[in-house]
Amino acid sequence: MADIQSLLATNERISRDLLAKNADQIDQSRKFPRENVQALGKAGLFGLLVPPQYGGSGATLADMSKVIEAQAENCASTAMVMLMHYCSSAAIAAKGENAMKERLLPPIARGEHLTTLAFSEAGSGGHFYMPVSEVRMNGVQKRLTASKSFVTSAGEADSYVVSTRKAGASGPTDVNLYVLPKGATGFTTAGHFEGLGLAGNASGPMKLEDVAIEDSTRLGPEGSGFQSMLEVVLPHFQIGVASVSLGIATAAFHTITAHVGARKYEHAGGAALASIPRVQFLEAEMAVELNSSQAYLGETIRKALGGDPAAMIDVLGVKVKAADACLAVVSRAMTLGGGWAFGRRGGLERMFRDAQAASVMAPASDVLKDFIGKACLGLPLF
Ligand SMILES: Cc1cc2nc3c(=O)[nH]c(=O)nc-3n(C[C@H](O)[C@H](O)[C@H](O)COP(=O)(O)OP(=O)(O)OC[C@H]3O[C@@H](n4cnc5c(N)ncnc54)[C@H](O)[C@@H]3O)c2cc1C
């Protein structure tokens, strides 16, 4: 088990050397970033959030944010695969029974087991915390038929944290989470999305057809799934998606800053694009967006780790802010990149497409604003 500082340094090195090298090829081929993911796993990064007693690093949300941001700066598809793995492994570590933890966490820590979340269903869309599928009793046996609309690492991950209403649920939040292995009978991928961005993260629908459900695969007590989503998955997901957005925005900012300095005009005696006041103005706008969002992310993490009761509003808000900032930065970078960026050079066009995912990934920015507004007004969220 590596100490956290050396793990962060290793993550930066792999991100810079390997993820950056493969990013365009992954985007164009739309292939799952297997080489990147394997290298990260081998280096101990699958076990980032796994407690040390199971061979992991027991890292915090702050460490996870740094890891994801560095990955996203170089390959956002890989960062999203890793983020879903972190959300899922955190849920297993926090809510799994001892036998499950002993079975799953050591192989995760060794980099041999990739996991992910299978929450979203077409029937509830972005309101992923309210699945419409429900466990049915067949005699004494529990069975599940469900249509999961959007799963990162679909068919690639070794296990899936699946949400569904418990048998005989009294309402849409009467939910269980189960950890199902890849290849469970009746559990299959159902095609791919040709997503606008994050082309390599193997997002796609999955189907569960009359899958046998064992109680031993459940996370937490019966009916506790909704609470687990809010307590464990949501903070990791929100802070992680914000980190992906800031990684993309940082890469776009550095790329365009280098370009406007290097782009020279013969007709103007070799003056650089950077010498034009409007370009400097856009550069300033990008820097302000990026720096203020980074400060908000740092403050949110500080509050969340300190158990501040006011953290929840920021945990909801930080994904909205980072997604908006990222869109603002990449669209200005595309403008300043002109034909060079439009011609798919420098990777800006890929970053522009990758940046679009964060605001629609559930909870979408609009849904989050709905929650934040209600919370500010003291109204119930659900
Ligand atoms: C790249 C990517 C990877 C993903 N990976 C996973 C994964 O690994 N696991 C997983 O479970 N899911 C995953 N998802 C699914 C994701 O989290 C959402 O569930 C999905 O994108 C929601 O899509 P939808 O079209 O059904 O949204 P809809 O529910 O149709 O919402 C569409 C829009 O309607 C508006 N809207 C809806 N409800 C409200 C409201 N209450 N208030 C205000 N506005 C509202 C919002 O603008 C929203 O964006 C992924 C999605 C993407 C894009």
Side-chain angles (χ1 to χ4, degrees):
M1 180 191 59
D3 72 272
I4 303 287
Q5 289 316 316
S6 60
L7 201 55
L8 294 180
T10 302
N11 180 64
E12 279 195 22
R13 182 181 50 73
I14 296 174
S15 299
R16 209 177 40 238
D17 296 348
L18 184 67
L19 273 57
K21 174 171 77 70
N22 289 342
D24 277 334
Q25 191 262 331
I26 286 165
D27 178 56
Q28 279 156 36
S29 65
R30 308 188 73 87
K31 289 229 170 78
F32 186 73
R34 180 60 63 193
E35 187 191 2
N36 296 351
V37 169
Q38 270 173 351
L40 291 165
K42 213 168 151 195
L45 282 141
F46 279 14
L48 188 73
L49 301 181
V50 170
Q53 72 199 91
Y54 299 103
S57 299
T60 65
L61 270 174
D63 303 315
M64 185 202 77
S65 170
K66 286 186 196 136
V67 162
I68 293 288
E69 195 173 332
Q71 292 167 359
E73 215 176 310
N74 293 286
C75 175
S77 286
T78 304
M80 192 55 76
V81 167
M82 292 301 290
L83 170 58
M84 290 305 176
H85 169 83
Y86 290 141
C87 291
S88 181
S89 56
I92 295 168
K95 301 291 175 183
E97 282 188 354
N98 285 341
M100 182 198 283
K101 291 198 280 197
E102 273 155 25
R103 189 167 50 81
L104 292 180
L105 295 180
I108 288 177
R110 290 196 300 270
E112 296 162 4
H113 185 113
L114 182 73
T115 182
T116 194
L117 300 178
F119 285 178
S120 306
E121 299 184 357
S124 48
H127 314 98
F128 73 89
Y129 34 83
M130 294 185 181
V132 293
S133 64
E134 184 172 324
V135 170
R136 304 274 169 209
M137 299 306 295
N138 182 359
V140 287
Q141 222 195 15
K142 293 181 172 146
R143 318 288 300 190
L144 178 61
T145 294
S147 178
K148 294 292 174 183
S149 53
F150 228 128
V151 181
T152 293
S153 310
E156 303 285 350
D158 301 289
S159 67
Y160 300 78
V161 174
V162 173
S163 58
T164 187
R165 292 188 197 188
K166 71 176 206 189
S170 58
T173 58
D174 213 357
V175 167
N176 280 337
L177 301 181
Y178 296 99
V179 186
L180 299 187
K182 177 182 184 173
T185 307
F187 189 27
T188 53
T189 52
H192 272 293
F193 272 116
E194 293 293 310
L196 175 68
L198 301 179
N201 80 338
S203 291
M206 293 190 80
K207 278 203 176 320
L208 294 97
E209 282 173 69
D210 202 30
V211 174
I213 299 291
E214 305 295 337
D215 284 343
S216 61
T217 65
R218 196 181 60 230
L219 292 178
E222 184 76 356
S224 66
F226 184 74
Q227 203 53 35
S228 302
M229 287 195 243
L230 295 191
E231 261 175 38
V232 185
V233 178
L234 192 72
H236 287 90
F237 180 77
Q238 293 286 112
I239 285 168
V241 176
S243 309
V244 171
S245 293
L246 291 181
I248 297 171
T250 302
F253 181 67
H254 290 323
T255 302
I256 200 59
T257 302
H259 175 76
V260 298
R263 168 92 171 98
K264 303 276 169 46
Y265 290 110
E266 214 177 319
H267 80 279
L273 185 54
S275 65
I276 297 171
R278 170 72 184 156
V279 172
Q280 297 158 10
F281 180 89
L282 290 175
E283 188 80 6
E285 285 191 337
M286 289 190 288
V288 169
E289 284 294 342
L290 191 52
N291 294 340
S292 57
S293 303
Q294 242 145 8
Y296 188 25
L297 178 61
E299 180 62 3
T300 302
I301 292 171
R302 191 190 63 74
K303 280 189 192 167
L305 289 178
D308 186 333
M312 186 44 95
I313 287 190
D314 294 325
V315 166
L316 297 175
V318 75
K319 172 173 167 284
V320 177
K321 177 61 196 164
D324 285 352
C326 185
L327 291 173
V329 170
V330 291
S331 64
R332 281 165 179 74
M334 283 297 290
T335 302
L336 288 177
W340 177 76
F342 193 75
R344 295 184 149 197
R345 274 169 290 168
L348 277 177
E349 174 266 355
R350 165 173 50 81
M351 297 170 205
F352 178 79
R353 287 183 285 105
D354 289 346
Q356 310 297 322
S359 53
V360 298
M361 287 186 82
S365 291
D366 290 340
V367 174
L368 288 166
K369 285 180 194 166
D370 181 39
F371 286 151
I372 295 166
K374 283 180 175 144
C376 291
L377 294 165
L379 300 170
L381 299 200
F382 299 102

